[in-house]
Amino acid sequence: MRVSRLHGVADIRLTDEPIPQVGPGMTLVRVTAVGLCGSDLHWYAEGGIGDATITTPLVVGHEFAGVIEGGPAHGRRVAVDPAIPCETCTSCRSGYRNLCPYIRFAGHDRLDGGLQEMIAWPTELLHALPDGVSDSDGAMLEPLGVALHAFDLGHLHLGGTVAVVGCGPIGLLLIQLARLAGASTIIAVEPLPHRAEAARRFGAVPPENAQADVVFEVAGNDAAVDTALELARPGGRVVLVGIPDEDRTSFRASLARRKGLTLALVRRMNDVYPRAIRLVEEGKIDVSSLVTARYPLTETPAAFIAATRRQGLKIVIEPQR
């Protein structure tokens, strides 16, 4: 099978490797769609993310869908939950699997992700896709899951006001969720014109000195965090979704303190795939229009270059093309 493997900063190589062996509790999946995420760009551009660095060549990609190969469910289209928790620690047993200290994650550390034609994955983490949900939609369920988890942490009240700072795919999904949840006003801050236009299309408006009950920061830099703090009303809530380049976030403590703000940080997602699938299947959340470019696996380097330049919205790689 063909595999796109990251060997170092901006060094992606297409190789031929054996099809993985399928052990107990695992299923072989033919990968059909992989979305490129901001965290993938950290691996590509910096050779790591947070305190994790690349030590051996790694297959990145954690937003993916595919088709089951072999077994009783052969041919079933599935979305893949990329997080494999231990299921035995205190966090897992308390219902916080995303906070598991022993979690393994696709395309992170030494666990290969989706940028390959075949992957063996725990069967219980494969979610069947309804007929009306495409393969690329299936790959978009992971960022939608992150947006759902972040939105849950915002504790928005019906009729409340929301601001989103950074309108990449997750920011745009948060705007849609806020609208669906009954927000009275949704403010968007985004410097890139094509992303700002997408935010307006989903019903967001420019700041214009407004303040919000809940602010989602989805850009991953200190300037965006400062903007989020400024947009939050006194006593409001700021949810930090973005991942900073240097594994450190700084902000104006006096502003946050005087406003009495509550800050919440997002760690991937919890068990939200069934909700995400229903929202897409029922047409309540649009993920399809966020996919603005598709590449075959052989053009993975070009796809990453386009993604680092912030061209379009979501780039999807299709290994079977």
Side-chain angles (χ1 to χ4, degrees), residues 5-317:
R5 195 172 285 280
L6 181 67
H7 287 252
V9 173
D11 181 9
I12 293 179
R13 307 175 196 176
L14 188 69
T15 60
D16 289 316
E17 301 183 15
I19 293 174
Q21 298 295 312
V22 180
M26 306 286 281
T27 292
L28 187 64
V29 176
R30 177 165 50 87
V31 181
T32 55
V34 186
L36 294 188
C37 174
S39 58
D40 296 324
L41 301 186
H42 283 286
W43 283 105
Y44 174 80
E46 302 157 27
I49 181 171
D51 60 358
T53 58
I54 189 167
T55 56
T56 59
L58 176 69
V59 179
V60 299
H62 58 270
E63 305 174 357
F64 62 109
V67 180
I68 290 176
E69 288 285 323
H74 177 75
R76 177 180 298 164
R77 297 167 53 251
V78 293
V80 181
D81 185 335
I84 307 175
C86 77
E87 300 290 2
T88 60
C89 70
T90 300
S91 293
C92 285
R93 288 186 285 107
S94 300
Y96 298 101
R97 293 176 179 84
N98 61 311
L99 304 181
C100 171
Y102 312 106
I103 199 165
R104 295 182 296 147
F105 196 76
H108 184 90
D109 197 15
R110 297 188 181 186
L111 182 60
D112 286 340
L115 284 177
Q116 52 189 321
E117 290 184 316
M118 298 280 191
I119 191 169
W121 206 252
T123 305
E124 65 180 12
L125 297 177
L126 304 178
H127 298 268
L129 290 176
D131 290 340
V133 178
S134 70
D135 291 353
S136 59
D137 291 346
M140 289 296 296
L141 292 173
E142 198 279 341
L144 175 55
V146 173
L148 269 171
H149 180 58
F151 195 80
D152 289 346
L153 293 175
H155 302 307
L156 178 71
H157 293 163
L158 184 65
T161 54
V162 168
V164 176
V165 182
C167 296
I170 292 177
L172 293 173
L173 290 167
L174 280 164
I175 289 171
Q176 293 188 62
L177 290 170
R179 183 184 63 186
L180 184 64
S184 59
T185 302
I186 306 169
I187 301 161
V189 178
E190 170 55 56
L192 295 178
H194 67 284
R195 293 187 172 186
E197 173 57 33
R200 286 192 292 271
R201 188 172 71 246
F202 287 121
V205 299
E208 296 181 351
N209 299 318
Q211 289 195 321
D213 300 311
V214 183
V215 185
F216 298 95
E217 180 278 315
V218 207
N221 58 66
D222 289 349
V225 175
D226 281 340
T227 298
L229 299 180
E230 291 165 0
L231 285 171
R233 65 161 174 80
R237 194 171 182 90
V238 176
V239 182
L240 302 182
V241 189
I243 299 175
D245 290 342
E246 302 298 330
D247 193 27
R248 183 172 295 277
T249 297
S250 300
F251 57 87
R252 290 172 55 202
S254 59
L255 176 63
R257 184 177 63 253
R258 288 166 185 163
K259 283 189 173 184
L261 300 178
T262 297
L263 272 64
L265 279 71
V266 176
R267 171 64 167 171
R268 295 171 181 158
M269 71 178 102
N270 211 345
D271 298 326
V272 297
Y273 261 86
R275 290 165 59 195
I277 291 171
R278 286 195 300 272
L279 288 171
V280 174
E281 182 184 19
E282 294 170 4
K284 294 178 179 177
I285 296 294
D286 170 20
V287 295
S288 299
S289 70
L290 301 186
V291 178
T292 51
R294 303 169 191 272
Y295 290 78
L297 193 67
T298 53
E299 296 181 17
T300 300
F304 269 92
I305 290 171
T308 56
R309 292 173 178 170
R310 299 297 193 267
Q311 295 176 357
L313 298 174
K314 174 63 69 174
I315 289 176
V316 167
I317 294 176

